[in-house]
Amino acid sequence: MDLKQMRKISFIWGFFLVSLVVILTVFCVIYKYKSNDYKKLEENLVEASKKYVDAKFLYPEGSNQLRVSFSEMKEYGVITDLKKEDQECDGYVIVSHNGTVFDYDGYVKCPNYETKGYLNYR
């Protein structure tokens, strides 16, 4: 194999690897952009749950957790809707006591998205 053929093969492999990196980067950026809207829904749900828990004085004790559903918060009036592009979503927040602070973890389920760890409670 002469030097000319090796350069040609190196160029082809280099082009392939650069193309692969670019394609994967584009897919990651698109995924992150699409999931940002759902993350905002989760954040809105968490903010509403903070108001709800403060107004109702519903704080978990010890290692217990408190589950606050979207329908409870909507009924109380701290949140009006949970929509993404006119698609109704459902969700809940788990409130847990962690030492001196309370942790709020929001979970959302939409037709095209579900927060990792979402459980169907009924």
Side-chain angles (χ1 to χ4, degrees):
M1 192 178 282
D2 64 347
L3 189 58
K4 201 172 192 181
Q5 284 180 323
M6 290 200 47
R7 283 186 183 165
K8 195 183 272 186
I9 292 172
S10 296
F11 176 75
I12 291 171
W13 274 107
F15 181 76
F16 173 74
L17 291 176
V18 169
S19 298
L20 182 65
V21 169
V22 168
I23 289 170
L24 290 175
T25 302
V26 167
F27 280 125
C28 288
V29 168
I30 290 171
Y31 175 76
K32 188 173 181 174
Y33 176 75
K34 286 185 176 184
S35 66
N36 265 349
D37 291 340
Y38 295 108
K39 296 294 180 193
K40 288 179 185 175
L41 284 179
E42 292 170 7
E43 291 170 9
N44 291 342
L45 197 61
V46 166
E47 290 304 314
S49 72
K50 288 178 182 179
K51 292 176 188 174
Y52 180 80
V53 167
D54 287 343
K56 292 273 211 167
F57 297 108
L58 298 171
Y59 297 103
E61 297 177 12
S63 63
N64 294 334
Q65 293 181 334
L66 173 68
R67 181 186 171 274
V68 183
S69 69
F70 165 67
S71 58
E72 289 176 78
M73 292 183 274
K74 185 176 181 179
E75 187 177 301
Y76 192 74
V78 293
I79 193 168
T80 56
D81 65 354
L82 198 60
K83 288 184 180 180
K84 166 80 168 76
E85 298 172 356
D86 294 330
Q87 293 179 342
E88 288 287 332
C89 300
D90 194 21
Y92 61 91
V93 175
I94 299 293
V95 184
S96 56
H97 189 251
N98 185 10
T100 58
V101 297
F102 291 97
D103 289 329
Y104 295 82
D105 297 313
Y107 297 89
V108 174
K109 182 176 183 178
C110 298
N112 299 324
Y113 175 82
E114 184 175 296
T115 304
K116 186 176 181 178
Y118 183 93
L119 299 173
N120 288 320
Y121 287 101
R122 294 286 171 214

